[in-house]
Amino acid sequence: MKKLLKLSISRDIFEAILSKNVSFLEKEASSYWKKELLEPKFEDNKILYDIYKIEKIILTNGLGNDKPQITIEIDNLEYDKSRGFFIFHFGKILEQKNISNIVDEKDILIKKLLDEKKELMKIIDEIKKVKF
């Protein structure tokens, strides 16, 4: 029974998961992933497979000790046989490391809103100074 999985992903996907724009990750059910995620069991002289219970996943982007990394709980891991994919459904982000260099879309939006607020406050002050 595996409880933790480590996986390196692209920067775009990493940032989308971090900003919660993506709530799941799909991996093609290659022979490697089947070996990693399926547990064989024998029942009535047949080989059946159970999906390992993965409690959390560590997602990284890049190499080295300073690579961005997040640890996320896995709510569900499903195997879509018809499409040939494993689907990791994410829960809470439990830990974040080395992500200060990643710009979050929410941070950009907040900065824009604060700048607009400052500009509107200037306009309001100018209007107050004008006598009608």
Side-chain angles (χ1 to χ4, degrees):
M1 175 180 280
K2 299 181 182 208
K3 296 185 185 236
L4 177 68
L5 185 68
K6 295 181 181 180
L7 188 61
S8 182
I9 57 176
S10 73
R11 183 179 181 96
D12 292 341
I13 295 171
F14 186 90
E15 289 179 357
I17 293 169
L18 183 63
S19 62
K20 298 185 180 178
N21 290 332
V22 172
S23 61
F24 65 92
L25 180 67
E26 293 183 334
K27 294 303 284 181
E28 187 175 349
S30 64
S31 58
Y32 172 80
W33 285 110
K34 287 178 182 177
K35 183 180 81 167
E36 289 292 313
L37 299 174
L38 295 177
E39 179 179 24
K41 67 178 184 176
F42 299 97
E43 217 174 87
D44 299 327
N45 291 328
K46 294 181 183 178
I47 299 175
L48 303 174
Y49 294 93
D50 283 337
I51 298 175
Y52 280 116
K53 172 69 175 145
I54 306 291
E55 292 179 359
K56 48 187 168 176
I57 187 168
I58 297 175
L59 300 174
T60 61
N61 173 249
L63 302 171
N65 293 334
D66 61 343
K67 65 184 172 280
Q69 175 178 305
I70 51 178
T71 303
I72 304 174
E73 71 180 1
I74 299 296
D75 283 344
N76 187 29
L77 172 58
E78 69 178 279
Y79 178 33
D80 185 343
K81 288 182 184 178
S82 64
R83 291 181 44 236
F85 280 89
F86 288 100
I87 306 165
F88 298 87
H89 296 274
F90 301 139
K92 297 176 190 171
I93 295 177
L94 303 171
E95 185 179 17
Q96 302 177 15
K97 291 182 182 177
N98 303 319
I99 60 164
S100 60
N101 60 342
I102 294 177
V103 178
D104 188 350
E105 289 179 29
K106 292 175 188 170
D107 292 338
I108 293 169
L109 180 60
I110 289 170
K111 184 179 181 333
K112 285 181 181 178
L113 290 171
L114 289 173
D115 290 345
E116 287 177 14
K117 179 185 175 188
K118 187 186 266 186
E119 189 64 33
L120 286 171
M121 294 304 289
K122 285 180 187 177
I123 292 170
I124 289 171
D125 286 342
E126 289 177 17
I127 291 173
K128 286 179 182 178
K129 290 178 185 177
V130 175
K131 294 183 179 179
F132 289 97

